[in-house]
Amino acid sequence: MGGTFSKNLSLAAKEIWTWCEERKLWIFASYISSKDNAIADFESRRLEPETEYELNKASFLHLCREFGDPEIDLFASLSNAKCSCYLSWKKDPGSIAVDAFTINWQKYFFYAFPPFSIILRVIRKIKHDKATGILVVLNWPSQPWYPLFKNMLVSDMIILEPKHNLIHSSSKEHHPLWQQLFLAAGILSGKLLP
């Protein structure tokens, strides 16, 4: 009854739905409070190192040569920050603040390689703050945020083609979908938008 970015999860949901329809069963999602669902709640909030991916150093340096050196990494941690000044998702000994969405981005020329699930939110924040910086996203033209991404580009777009080490976790494991991951990068600016 909803949507997902994951083709595998969509197929699994469709298979479950078809199985239920064939048996004239009706399923639905319902809320369970955290105190009554402690194990699942804990697991859903835990951030494993393997879920925090970063662009490899060579690709990052290539973007810097093309677009200039950013002053701040908006989505980083001590183990993967691309700039000495960075923002983390949770408390981190080296970050200047927690949660990039709590500060104004306008005063920085930023670098952002956000989790794929929040790309639209990041683009909206760039527009809202009238900020300028390097944004790396999936090269996924069918996504609703993609036209806005292209409209806000103030540089050429660089396509980073799949390589086993293009993005990796802090333990240097490559992304499980690396063969399908084409990334797009460019300088975006919200300054010229109404």
Side-chain angles (χ1 to χ4, degrees), residues 17-90:
W17 192 258
T18 301
W19 185 89
C20 290
E21 280 184 329
E22 289 169 358
R23 289 157 180 79
K24 296 184 174 29
L25 298 173
W26 182 257
I27 59 174
F28 59 93
S30 61
Y31 172 77
I32 301 173
S33 71
S34 294
K35 69 178 179 71
D36 296 329
N37 198 22
I39 294 171
D41 188 64
F42 170 78
E43 291 297 330
S44 71
R45 295 173 195 274
R46 187 168 58 154
L47 183 62
E48 295 292 332
E50 291 72 28
T51 63
E52 192 173 315
Y53 289 94
E54 66 178 288
L55 192 62
N56 71 28
K57 186 175 183 178
S59 298
F60 174 73
L61 293 174
H62 172 65
L63 296 180
C64 291
R65 284 191 299 276
E66 294 295 319
F67 303 133
D69 293 326
E71 301 167 274
I72 190 169
D73 186 341
L74 297 178
F75 300 95
S77 66
L78 185 61
S79 66
N80 69 11
K82 301 296 186 212
C83 305
S84 59
C85 184
Y86 67 93
L87 300 168
S88 60
W89 178 244
K90 54 187 178 179

Side-chain angles (χ1 to χ4, degrees), residues 78-154:
L78 185 61
S79 66
N80 69 11
K82 301 296 186 212
C83 305
S84 59
C85 184
Y86 67 93
L87 300 168
S88 60
W89 178 244
K90 54 187 178 179
K91 287 184 180 182
D92 186 292
S95 67
I96 63 163
V98 173
D99 188 355
F101 294 103
T102 63
I103 69 162
N104 190 316
W105 299 353
Q106 187 177 31
K107 61 182 178 176
Y108 303 101
F109 179 65
F110 65 81
Y111 165 75
F113 181 38
F116 302 146
S117 61
I118 62 168
I119 292 172
L120 178 58
R121 187 174 176 201
V122 169
I123 293 171
R124 287 179 175 159
K125 176 77 169 161
I126 294 168
K127 183 178 178 182
H128 177 270
D129 287 359
K130 299 190 180 323
T132 302
I134 302 167
L135 180 62
V136 180
V137 298
L138 290 168
N139 188 34
W140 201 351
S142 63
Q143 286 300 300
W145 50 259
Y146 198 82
L148 186 55
F149 168 78
K150 288 191 74 176
N151 188 46
M152 292 173 62
L153 278 169
V154 293

